[in-house]
Amino acid sequence: MTACAGVARRALGPMVGAALGIAVAAAAEIPVDERRSGFDFMSRALQDMQRDDTLNPGMLWVLEGEELWHRKAGAGNLSCADCHGEATSSMRGVAARYPSYDEETRRPVDLQGRVNFCRTRHQQAPPLAPESQELLALVAYVAHQSRGMAIAPDPDPRLTPFRDRGRRLFHERQGQLNFSCAHCHDDNWGKRLGGSVIPQAHPTGYPIYRLEWQGLGSLQRRLRNCLVGVRAEPYPYDAPEYVDLELFLMDRARGLTVETPAVRP
Amino acid sequence: MARPLISVPATAKRGEIVEIKALIAHPMETGYRPGPDGRVLPRDIIRRFVCTYNDVEIFSADLFPAMSANPFIAFTTVAVESGTLTFTWTGDNGFSQSETATITVS
């Protein structure tokens, strides 16, 4: 595939160059006052579904997560609450600043990674599988505690190189369609791709209840969707690229409100 | 995970029309989709939902494979007396889930 693209690029050199020139000119970051959550692009009915906790199916996972928070697990026979107390106070604001730096692995870690570190290091329990209902429920419960707060990424300078890597990934062309994230989400947000509006790709409400999925899913699952959409090979679950991208995306969404659990079409 | 989420007003005036909302976690597998191995996944749906108000049936619904996962059902009733509303979902593979809510009518 790389070879094909190379041939095509050589053959169409001047044309592609011109097209790139236009793309680069347009590829500016979205100005702060124009940043909008995916919520604003949804229909009125879907917005109502997200707003009303008795209508929002994501709340089913939040309730499940609350139960799991108090359930003892592993050889350590500890529950989350045994160390962290009530999540309503101890977890407030956590999702608004994550991913954060993990001293032990010397890498940034996202919320689900942190939950699994807690399981293996403290509860001495096996890590929960990516996209398992238990992991989604716990992360949804923790992130829900920050609902309504402004996204304020962790200023830890050790995160900067990873965030920069995320920024590079965001602007890097990928897959058979040879698009970067920025081509859709910086340059063409608000327009339509097929029947759907292209949002600005702000991770404000993860894990989200996506109608297309008929269930709750993580940001990693959503990023895989986009990678498959541009016909790229998605990174495996828990690949460092996802956390780097999340670091950059959260920085890009700075100031927007945490909505977990968000509803999306 | 089959936890229902119910919304019933805690209090109401006699004769008032109240809205009742019931959401339940359920995969609602249609029985028509192939799984990862190419075989058709067996059907697993909720087939019936019943709501009783002090043991009188006030609402029921039959559910079918075309309905979404985590079905949400909303309806209204007239608050006649204080008491208990019981919600019951039954379906394939012996699925049965009940939940109650109380309402005080003045």
Side-chain angles (χ1 to χ4, degrees):
Chain A
M1 178 53 225
T2 322
C4 282
V7 170
R9 202 172 291 147
R10 269 194 295 282
L12 300 167
M15 237 169 85
V16 173
L20 263 178
I22 296 162
V24 168
E29 282 195 359
I30 304 166
V32 174
D33 57 351
E34 282 178 38
R35 286 182 195 173
R36 286 157 67 197
S37 158
F39 180 87
D40 298 340
F41 298 96
M42 301 200 301
S43 68
R44 182 73 198 279
L46 268 185
Q47 291 184 347
D48 288 346
M49 189 171 171
Q50 177 175 322
R51 268 199 215 103
D52 182 346
D53 281 351
T54 57
L55 251 168
N56 183 339
M59 289 309 290
L60 294 166
W61 278 263
V62 171
L63 286 176
E64 177 79 7
E66 185 177 5
E67 202 177 295
L68 289 173
W69 181 265
H70 294 98
R71 190 184 296 167
K72 294 189 187 295
N77 199 30
L78 288 169
S79 71
C80 308
D82 286 339
C83 291
H84 297 287
E86 285 308 313
T88 40
S89 53
S90 65
M91 291 295 125
R92 181 138 180 86
V94 169
R97 64 176 162 84
Y98 254 63
S100 79
Y101 190 78
D102 179 57
E103 306 277 351
E104 216 162 297
T105 54
R106 301 187 175 187
R107 276 206 48 84
V109 61
D110 56 10
L111 265 181
Q112 49 200 14
R114 177 61 73 199
V115 167
N116 272 334
F117 280 160
C118 266
R119 280 183 69 86
T120 51
R121 291 173 188 172
H122 305 298
Q123 293 179 303
Q124 290 155 43
L128 296 167
E131 300 305 299
S132 62
Q133 299 305 309
E134 292 96 333
L135 185 58
L136 288 169
L138 264 173
V139 172
Y141 178 61
V142 170
H144 180 64
Q145 309 307 325
S146 304
R147 185 160 72 167
M149 295 177 75
I151 291 172
D154 195 335
D156 192 332
R158 292 173 298 183
L159 291 171
T160 312
F162 299 100
R163 188 173 287 132
D164 289 344
R165 191 155 156 251
R167 179 178 289 116
R168 272 204 302 284
L169 280 172
F170 188 84
H171 291 98
E172 184 177 281
R173 286 177 180 268
Q174 301 203 48
Q176 288 179 310
L177 299 188
N178 211 23
F179 283 142
S180 75
C181 312
H183 283 125
C184 285
H185 298 291
D186 270 355
D187 300 350
N188 287 296
W189 63 266
K191 295 181 193 163
R192 278 172 182 273
L193 184 63
S196 316
V197 179
I198 303 172
Q200 294 181 353
H202 296 302
T204 46
Y206 284 88
I208 59 168
Y209 188 89
R210 199 164 178 224
L211 300 189
E212 188 187 310
W213 294 336
Q214 302 263 299
L216 208 72
S218 70
L219 175 60
Q220 292 197 8
R221 182 174 177 189
R222 186 65 193 83
L223 291 172
R224 288 168 72 90
N225 272 188
C226 268
L227 287 166
V228 171
V230 299
R231 314 281 185 269
E233 174 81 28
Y235 312 109
Y237 272 113
D238 288 336
E241 283 83 356
Y242 290 123
V243 185
D244 295 346
L245 262 172
E246 184 176 351
L247 264 173
F248 169 65
L249 290 175
M250 288 296 273
D251 192 55
R252 191 169 160 269
R254 184 186 292 273
L256 294 178
T257 311
V258 178
E259 301 165 33
T260 308
V263 174
R264 293 292 182 267
Chain B
M1 199 173 91
R3 175 193 284 274
L5 194 59
I6 300 219
S7 162
V8 174
T11 56
K13 287 199 169 62
R14 193 175 306 275
E16 188 184 339
I17 295 170
V18 290
E19 188 178 28
I20 291 159
K21 296 186 258 186
L23 175 67
I24 188 167
H26 195 283
M28 293 296 279
E29 188 58 57
T30 61
Y32 298 113
R33 296 196 311 159
D37 60 357
R39 289 183 196 201
V40 172
L41 296 165
R43 192 184 81 171
D44 179 17
I45 62 168
I46 294 171
R47 287 200 302 266
R48 192 161 173 79
F49 167 76
V50 178
C51 177
T52 60
Y53 185 177
N54 285 345
D55 298 324
V56 180
E57 182 177 312
I58 53 163
F59 184 89
S60 71
D62 291 324
L63 284 80
F64 296 93
M67 283 163 184
S68 77
N70 312 313
F72 171 77
I73 296 170
F75 53 95
T76 54
T77 191
V78 178
V80 285
E81 57 190 10
S82 297
T84 309
L85 287 118
T86 307
F87 304 83
T88 310
W89 293 260
T90 48
D92 295 337
N93 305 316
F95 181 83
S96 179
Q97 180 90 25
S98 270
E99 187 83 3
T100 57
T102 52
I103 185 167
T104 309
V105 177
S106 56

